[in-house]
Amino acid sequence: MTAAAVWPWRSPPPDDAEPPAPSSTRERLVLAATLAVLVVGVGLRSPSIRAPLAGRDQGTYVLRAQLTLRTGALGWTDRALAEAARARESHPDAPGPRDILGLYPRHEEPWRQGNYESPYRPGAYLAERDAGRVVPQFFHLHPTLLAVAGAVAGPGRTGWMMIWIGALGLGCFACVARRLWPARDGPWSVLALALLAASPLAIWTARTPLSEGAMALFEIAALLAALRLRDAGDEQREPWRIALFLGFAAFVRGNALIVLPVILAATWLRPRGEDTSRAWAWAPALVLAALLGTVVLHALTTYPYLHDELLRRVAERVPGLEPTPAALMGLTAAGAGLWVVLDRAFARLPEGARAALVRASVPAMVLGTFAAFGLWAALRAGAPDLSVRPFSRLDAAPILIGAPMLVAAGLGLVVLAWTWRPTPRAVWLVALASLVPVTALLYAPRELPTLGFFYYGRYLVPELLPAAILASTAALAAVHGWIHPRRPRLAQALVGALALGLVGVVAAPLIQSPQLRLREYEPASAAVDWLAARIPEDAVLIAGGEGWHHDHTHNQIGGALALARGAQVLPYRTREDAWITAWELLVAGPERSGEPRPPVYLLVNEAAHQTTRKSDGARLALVDDQLWSPFRAERVELLELFVDALTPVGDQLPTRVARHELRMALIRLEVDEDALARIERVRFEGDTCLRADADLELRFEADPARHRHLALSVAGLGDSRLARALPQMHVEVDGQRLRAEPPKGVRGRHRATLGPLPLPEAHGEGPRTLRLRMPELEPGLLIDDPACPYGRVDELRLLPRERGALDRLAALEDGVTAVSIAPRDDLGHPPKPATWVRGRSLSRYRAGTEPEPEIRGRSMVLAAGEALDFAAIDLPLDGAGETHPLLVLVTLTRTSTGEGAQLVLEERSAEGEPTLLATLDIPAQRPRTFIADPLAWRPTNERARIRVRVVDPNQAGGEVELRDVALFVDAPGIPSALERH
Amino acid sequence: MVPAVSALLALALAGLALSLAARWQGGAGALARWPSLDFDVDALCLALAAHLGVVGLLATLLAWAGLFSAGAWRSRAR
C-alpha cells in the first residue's frame, strides 16, 4: 500500500529528453550552501529530546507511542476500575468497590455516558469509568509515527522520528524557497533556509516530540506541491498531492479542523472550465474526505479531547446542547454537504468573477494578517497586567520570531500585496496563504493560562514562523531588486548586510547561549526504569502524596509507569484516600473473593519542601513513613531525580537553566496479620440507617490504650449516587466534630468509607457515643428504599496508633535503598544528594483543621488574631518508643502582615490547653514564598495537636497564606547515593 | 520483529526505495548527467513526506484495530 501510495510520484523523464544544461557556478554555489545549511540544520536538531515523563504534551506523545508499542492499541483499560465495577455488581453492599470507583467521580450529564465520564490523568480521559475504558489525548498520526520509529529502532528511540521529520521539513522548505527564488536569481533561498535552520524556536520544537513539527512538514509539503502546480507542474497530479498533504495534516493536530474549512472555502474559486483536469475538480473532495475522516476517527477514539479543545466553549454557551460524538460527526457531515452546495453555486459564477475574487484575496489576506496583529496589540494594550494571565499565543512572536524579522515580514507582505496577481490556477497557493491570517486571528485573543518559552511559543512553528521567514526574505529580495538596477554595488552591500544581520539576530542566541540546545529532562527515563524494575507486572501503585510535588509523582512518574509500563496506578490524594484504597485492595477485596493479595505500593512524594540542617549541612528530604494499621512497609525505595530544563519565561528567550528535583518513596505495603487482628471491627445491632432529619446515635467501646483512630463504612447504597454526598456526613464522637475531608479547595471524592479519623481522647469511663447525620439531599441522590434512603452504617473500625517503617527497615540489610539519579553532565553544578529523614507535614490536605480555613491556591489563609488548630497526629517514634527531636519548618506563600508580626506555634493538650512551642518573625508584606529557618522542638507527647496563630501588633487586617508546617526528625537519616545517567 | 510492524517496516522501506529510485531520474543515470544539478529534488522530498503520512495513517489504522504490537497479534491468533 505504501508503495502504491508513492507510485504517483514516479515520473521518469522521457527517453528522448535533452540532457539539461550544465549548472552555472552561482547555481552550484547556491546548492552547496543549501546542502551545508541543511546539514547544519539537521545537526542542530539532533539529538532529539526524549521527554519520558507524562504531564506535558511532549511526554504524552512519547508515552502514547510506547503504549501503542506495548499493547498494539490507542487506548487501554484501567483494570483496577473495571474490577471494582465488577465487584460492585457482585457485592452491592460492599463499600470498597465504591471507594475505588469514587477516586474518579463521574459526571452525570446524559451525553457524557460512555463518551467522557470523567477526567483521568494528564494525557488521557475516562470514556467509561465502570468499564475502565481510557482514551488518549490528541490526534493519532504523530504518536503512531513515533511508535513506528520505536518499532524500527527500539522503544527508547521514538525520537528518531523527530530527527527524520525535522530533516524532511527542512528539505521541503529548501525546495519551497528554491521554487520561490531560483538559484540563478541569487542566494535568497539559502537565506530563507538559514533563517529556519537556525531559529532556536524551530530547533527546540523539532527536537521535542511535539506534533507541530509533523504539522509544519505536511503544510510545507502542500505548499511545495502548490508551487509546482504554479510552475506549470503536472495538473493531473499536483492538486491531488496538495490535497493529500492537507489530508495528512488533518490527522496531526486539532487546529486543522478549524483551518481546513477556510482552505476548502478558498477552493470554491478554482478553475472550472473544460480544459481543467479531473484533479482540479476533485482534489478538494479529498481534503473534505480527510476532514470527515479525521472527525469520525477522533470522535470515536478520543472524543474527550475534541470536546475539551473544540466543543466545551460551545456547549457552555448553548444551554441544553449535548455534544455527543454522533452529533459532532453529524454536524461535520452537514458542513460537508453545505460545502458541496456552495461549491456548485460558485461553479456557476462567471470565470471573471472568480478571477476577481482570487485577485482581491491577496490584499484581503495581507490586511487580515495586519488586522490580526492589530487586534493582538489592542487586546494587549487593554490588558491590565501583562505579567499575569491570560496571555495570547501571539505574545511569543516578538520574542521568538524576533522584532527585526517581523518588521521585515510586514514589509514582505506589503510587497506581496503589491506584486502578486494570482489567477484561479493559483487558487491552492491562495488557499494555503490564507492559513496565515486565519492562524494569526486564532492566536490573537488572550486566552492562554500561562506563557513560558519555548513550550507556549511552539504554536508559531507550523504556519507563522515559515510565513515570516518567507515574507522577510521576499522583502529583502524586493529591496535588492529595486536598488540593483541603479546601484548594483550598493544593493549587494546593503541587502547583504541586512540579510547577514537578520541571520545573525536569529542565530546569535545559539552561540551566546548554547544551553538553548540543552537536552532537557535527560535522566528521567533512567528514574522510570529504576522504579519499573522494582514493581512486579501485576502491581497496583497508589501514587501521589500530600507534598509540594505530589502532582509530579502522580502525573509525571505515575503516568509514565502507567502508559509505558502498564502499571496500574491509582491516585493518592490524601493519606486517608491511600489507606481506604489499600484496605479494599489488600483486606476487604481478598476477604470477599478469596483471591491472594495483589502487590500494592505507595509511590509517595516527599512530604514537604526540603531543608538544610545547619549542624551538618545535610540537605534533608522528608518522608512520611507513618502507616495506619494493618499496613506496614515490607520494603522502601527512596528515589531522588535531578533534571535540568530551560527555565520557562514569557518575555525573553529561555536562556537560563533550572535544575528540578523530584523525590519520592516507593513503599511496598503488606498486611501485618497481628495488627489486622487487633483492629476492632464493630458491627452494630438494630437500626443503623442514616438520616438527614435526626442523628443516628451509636455506642461503642474503645480502649484508650489501643484505639487511636476510627474508620466508618456505609452499606446499602444500591444503584444510588449517594457516595458523592457521604463525605459531607456530620460525624461526632462524644460531642466533638470530626471532619473526614480536607478543607474545600481540594477536589472531592465519592466514597462509602470515611476516615481514618483521630479518635478524640475519652474524658471518662464507659462507652463512646458516635453521632451521625447526613445533609439534606436532593431526591435523585437517595437510595430507592423508603426505610433507609441515606444508607446504613456497615462497620466501624478502631485502629491503633500509626507506625513508622523507615527505622526498622533501615536496620535490615537491603531493607531501604536510596538513590539520586542525576544528569551525567552537571553543567558545572554538581548535585548534592539528599539525606532522607522521617516526619510529618500539616498542610491543606489534612482533614479536621478547625476552623475550616479558606484555601487560596495551595495554601490556607490565616488572618492575624486568629488560630488554626490541626487535627491530632501521631509523631514518629524511635525503637524504644520515644519521640525524636524535631526540626519544624514553616512555609508561607505570601504575607500581608505589618512589621513586627509573628507566627506563634503552640501544642495543645487533650483538654485544649496551649503550650508555646516556638515563635517566628514574619516578613512584612511579602508577595512571594517565605521558608523560615528550621525551629528545634523536642516533643514530650507522642501525639501532637498543633495550633498556629498570627500576631500582628502594628497593623489590622493582615493575613498570611500558610503552605505547610513540616516536622523533620532531627536524626542522622538515610543518605542517598548518587548515580549519573 | 512482530508481524504488524514487520509488514509496516517492509512497506516503509519498499516505498522509500521506490521513491528514491523513481525520483532520482533514472538512478545511476543522474550521475552521468553531472554537472547538471537539475534533479527533481522537490519531488523526492514530496515523495518522502507523503511516504511518512501514509505510514502514519497505516500505523494509526493498525493501532485503532488494536493490532500494532506482537502481543496483540498473538492474542488475536489464539
Side-chain angles (χ1 to χ4, degrees):
Chain A
M1 286 174 70
T2 309
V6 297
W7 190 257
W9 271 264
R10 199 187 73 88
S11 53
D15 293 339
D16 57 351
E18 288 289 319
S23 301
S24 68
T25 303
R26 169 183 275 189
E27 287 169 324
R28 278 189 241 169
L29 283 174
V30 168
L31 177 67
T34 300
L35 290 174
V37 173
L38 271 174
V39 169
V40 170
V42 174
L44 288 169
R45 285 153 176 77
S46 309
S48 64
I49 293 169
R50 287 199 277 198
L53 298 181
R56 293 203 130 186
D57 293 0
Q58 56 266 48
T60 296
Y61 283 119
V62 170
L63 292 169
R64 279 198 54 181
Q66 290 175 343
L67 169 81
T68 298
L69 281 168
R70 186 172 55 77
T71 67
L74 297 171
W76 76 96
T77 299
D78 185 315
R79 299 194 300 278
L81 287 181
E83 284 169 18
R86 282 195 292 272
R88 190 189 56 184
E89 293 301 312
S90 56
H91 298 84
D93 255 7
R98 291 175 189 278
D99 291 328
I100 300 286
L101 292 169
L103 295 170
Y104 297 99
R106 192 165 62 172
H107 295 293
E108 299 291 347
E109 297 97 314
W111 67 266
R112 285 181 177 270
Q113 307 308 311
N115 297 317
Y116 181 11
E117 295 188 352
S118 175
Y120 186 63
R121 60 165 51 256
Y125 313 83
L126 262 181
E128 286 179 273
R129 186 192 64 175
D130 292 356
R133 186 163 71 85
V134 181
V135 296
Q137 192 180 13
F138 301 137
F139 280 18
H140 301 315
L141 196 139
H142 178 59
T144 49
L145 276 176
L146 297 179
V148 168
V152 172
R157 298 199 174 105
T158 54
W160 286 18
M161 183 56 74
M162 295 311 300
I163 299 174
W164 180 232
I165 289 173
L168 264 184
L170 281 178
C172 286
F173 189 80
C175 292
V176 164
R178 196 186 67 142
R179 287 264 164 197
L180 291 170
W181 299 284
R184 62 178 176 274
D185 296 342
W188 306 111
S189 59
V190 182
L191 169 64
L193 181 63
L195 290 172
L196 184 65
S199 162
L201 170 64
I203 291 168
W204 183 89
T205 308
R207 294 180 70 206
T208 307
L210 292 160
S211 60
E212 278 76 9
M215 190 74 175
L217 167 63
F218 291 131
E219 288 178 343
I220 291 170
L223 177 60
L224 178 56
L227 285 169
R228 285 166 61 88
L229 183 61
R230 180 201 67 170
D231 298 341
D234 186 343
E235 292 207 353
Q236 296 291 349
R237 292 197 172 99
E238 300 301 348
W240 289 119
R241 292 171 184 164
I242 300 166
L244 189 66
F245 287 119
L246 291 173
F248 292 144
F251 287 84
V252 177
R253 295 192 70 226
N255 71 333
L257 304 191
I258 298 171
V259 297
L260 281 190
V262 179
I263 287 183
L264 278 168
T267 62
W268 287 329
L269 304 176
R270 67 191 182 279
R272 311 281 185 146
E274 290 180 357
D275 58 336
T276 53
S277 66
R278 286 166 61 86
W280 268 114
W282 290 100
L286 179 59
V287 180
L288 195 64
L291 192 60
L292 266 171
T294 193
V295 168
V296 170
L297 171 68
H298 294 104
L300 294 175
T301 56
T302 180
Y303 170 75
Y305 172 62
L306 292 181
H307 174 265
D308 285 2
E309 285 292 303
L310 302 171
L311 302 175
R312 181 165 53 195
R313 287 180 209 167
V314 179
E316 282 171 358
R317 287 171 188 168
V318 184
L321 182 70
E322 297 190 348
T324 61
L328 178 62
M329 290 186 280
L331 191 67
T332 309
L338 181 65
W339 182 88
V340 171
V341 169
L342 289 171
D343 188 56
R344 295 199 169 190
F346 271 88
R348 285 195 287 275
L349 274 184
E351 188 73 34
R354 286 201 303 273
L357 282 172
V358 170
R359 275 196 305 278
S361 65
V362 176
M365 284 189 293
V366 171
L367 282 175
T369 306
F370 283 127
F373 275 86
L375 174 66
W376 162 72
L379 294 172
R380 187 178 165 88
D385 184 352
L386 291 176
S387 64
V388 298
R389 63 189 295 183
F391 300 94
S392 162
R393 287 174 169 82
L394 287 188
D395 287 349
I399 298 144
L400 300 182
I401 294 178
M405 192 190 291
L406 284 178
V407 170
L411 179 61
L413 288 181
V414 174
V415 170
L416 190 74
W418 197 263
T419 58
W420 190 24
R421 298 284 180 271
T423 66
R425 304 192 85 80
V427 73
W428 280 107
L429 270 182
V430 171
L432 287 164
S434 72
L435 283 176
V436 177
V438 170
T439 305
L441 207 56
L442 280 176
Y443 290 174
R446 307 191 74 76
E447 56 188 16
L448 270 188
T450 182
L451 189 70
F453 303 145
F454 290 111
Y455 190 75
Y456 286 102
R458 63 197 159 106
Y459 304 110
L460 305 176
V461 168
E463 295 93 10
L464 297 187
L465 177 65
I469 289 171
L470 294 178
S472 53
T473 305
L476 291 182
V479 170
H480 183 270
W482 289 330
I483 303 175
H484 189 267
R486 293 177 287 276
R487 305 282 299 274
R489 286 190 179 175
L490 175 66
Q492 280 186 343
L494 176 67
V495 179
L498 286 173
L500 286 175
L502 199 55
V503 173
V505 167
V506 170
L510 296 175
I511 299 161
Q512 292 167 343
S513 307
Q515 64 273 23
L516 283 170
R517 290 190 61 255
L518 176 75
R519 206 177 185 195
E520 296 178 290
Y521 302 103
E522 185 50 15
S525 54
V528 176
D529 292 344
W530 189 89
L531 285 167
R534 284 153 177 80
I535 302 167
E537 264 190 17
D538 55 345
V540 182
L541 259 74
I542 306 170
E546 297 182 2
W548 285 37
H549 300 118
H550 64 272
D551 282 341
H552 295 63
T553 299
H554 175 258
N555 297 343
Q556 297 187 355
I557 302 289
L561 290 168
L563 271 80
R565 310 303 176 119
Q568 296 181 70
V569 181
L570 292 171
Y572 178 144
R573 182 193 59 156
T574 63
R575 301 180 72 250
E576 289 80 1
D577 270 8
W579 181 86
I580 291 170
T581 303
W583 179 274
E584 167 61 14
L585 294 172
L586 287 171
V587 180
E591 277 178 4
R592 283 196 311 271
S593 67
E595 298 284 328
R597 292 174 178 138
V600 175
Y601 292 80
L602 298 181
L603 184 63
V604 57
N605 181 238
E606 65 178 328
H609 196 275
Q610 52 107 356
T611 188
T612 299
R613 184 163 51 195
K614 282 187 178 166
S615 60
D616 60 358
R619 215 161 47 83
L620 302 182
L622 185 63
V623 56
D624 186 342
D625 67 335
Q626 300 287 104
L627 296 173
W628 280 300
S629 280
F631 305 116
R632 70 176 179 190
E634 182 195 352
R635 185 172 165 71
V636 177
E637 319 267 1
L638 300 165
L639 173 66
E640 180 176 38
L641 171 63
F642 295 95
V643 291
D644 293 334
L646 299 176
T647 307
V649 286
D651 56 357
Q652 59 179 7
L653 280 173
T655 53
R656 286 177 297 150
V657 175
R659 175 160 295 160
H660 303 276
E661 302 159 13
L662 187 58
R663 284 173 284 271
M664 67 201 75
L666 180 68
I667 301 175
R668 169 79 187 252
L669 291 182
E670 64 177 4
V671 175
D672 179 343
E673 298 295 348
D674 292 338
L676 181 60
R678 285 197 297 273
I679 293 176
E680 194 77 34
R681 300 174 74 168
V682 183
R683 288 181 181 264
F684 298 96
E685 301 294 329
D687 180 14
T688 58
C689 286
L690 295 162
R691 297 181 183 83
D693 56 356
D695 288 346
L696 170 65
E697 188 172 303
L698 301 169
R699 292 184 181 276
F700 64 95
E701 299 285 347
D703 178 352
R706 287 200 301 130
H707 298 139
R708 305 291 289 272
H709 303 271
L710 67 87
L712 183 76
S713 61
V714 175
L717 300 186
D719 294 329
S720 75
R721 297 181 288 131
L722 192 62
R724 65 178 50 229
L726 279 174
Q728 279 81 54
M729 180 162 51
H730 184 93
V731 182
E732 272 185 28
V733 173
D734 296 343
Q736 184 170 332
R737 172 84 191 266
L738 303 180
R739 292 185 191 274
E741 285 290 293
K744 290 190 182 80
V746 179
R747 186 167 180 244
R749 299 280 197 248
H750 302 171
R751 59 174 76 264
T753 304
L754 304 182
L757 306 167
L759 183 62
E761 275 73 4
H763 297 295
E765 299 291 320
R768 316 291 300 270
T769 303
L770 174 68
R771 281 200 178 83
L772 307 170
R773 185 199 285 253
M774 287 294 290
E776 289 285 351
L777 299 173
E778 56 173 292
L781 288 177
L782 301 182
I783 302 165
D784 188 19
D785 175 3
C788 209
Y790 288 88
R792 56 186 160 73
V793 172
D794 172 58
E795 184 176 85
L796 176 72
R797 299 170 207 143
L798 299 172
L799 315 177
R801 92 180 297 282
E802 295 176 82
R803 294 180 303 171
L806 216 53
D807 285 354
R808 177 178 61 83
L809 290 169
L812 304 174
E813 187 180 349
D814 204 29
V816 177
T817 305
V819 166
S820 297
I821 292 176
R824 189 165 286 123
D825 180 3
D826 61 23
L827 305 176
H829 299 275
K832 183 178 181 181
T835 297
W836 289 89
V837 296
R838 305 166 60 200
R840 311 300 309 255
S841 178
L842 302 169
S843 69
R844 68 172 184 150
Y845 296 98
R846 293 289 77 239
T849 305
E850 296 283 356
E852 184 169 297
E854 176 194 345
I855 300 297
R856 198 173 293 160
R858 294 175 181 249
S859 302
M860 297 163 283
V861 178
L862 175 56
E866 296 184 359
L868 277 184
D869 288 340
F870 288 98
I873 53 168
D874 292 340
L875 294 175
L877 302 179
D878 62 17
E882 299 294 324
T883 55
H884 289 278
L886 298 173
L887 295 173
V888 183
L889 189 71
V890 176
T891 300
L892 305 177
T893 312
R894 199 178 67 87
T895 75
S896 60
T897 46
E899 297 292 341
Q902 285 191 317
L903 189 135
V904 181
L905 286 163
E906 294 169 332
E907 186 189 9
R908 290 171 293 125
S909 68
E911 291 74 31
E913 288 302 313
T915 307
L916 181 65
L917 199 153
T919 57
L920 183 71
D921 293 333
I922 301 172
Q925 307 291 336
R926 187 177 174 98
R928 59 186 184 283
T929 297
F930 166 71
I931 302 178
D933 287 336
L935 306 162
W937 176 39
R938 179 77 207 215
T940 52
N941 297 318
E942 42 103 17
R943 195 174 213 197
R945 300 166 197 81
I946 303 291
R947 169 176 290 175
V948 184
R949 289 193 292 122
V950 172
V951 180
D952 191 2
N954 301 319
Q955 181 190 296
E959 61 185 25
V960 301
E961 293 175 15
L962 176 65
R963 177 71 184 253
D964 57 16
V965 178
L967 310 176
F968 290 73
V969 166
D970 191 6
I974 299 167
S976 189
L978 186 63
E979 285 183 8
R980 291 178 184 271
H981 291 266
Chain B
M1 190 62 77
V2 302
V5 175
S6 295
L8 202 60
L9 182 58
L11 286 170
L13 292 177
L16 185 64
L18 188 65
S19 300
L20 283 167
R23 296 316 315 157
W24 215 260
Q25 298 208 345
L31 292 176
R33 287 197 293 276
W34 181 263
S36 167
L37 300 175
D38 192 23
F39 302 146
D40 198 356
V41 177
D42 53 0
L44 173 66
C45 288
L46 289 178
L48 295 176
H51 176 255
L52 199 68
V54 171
V55 167
L57 276 183
L58 279 175
T60 300
L61 293 174
L62 270 176
W64 191 15
L67 294 173
F68 192 88
S69 73
W73 280 85
R74 277 198 293 267
S75 63
R76 189 65 61 99
R78 279 197 295 270

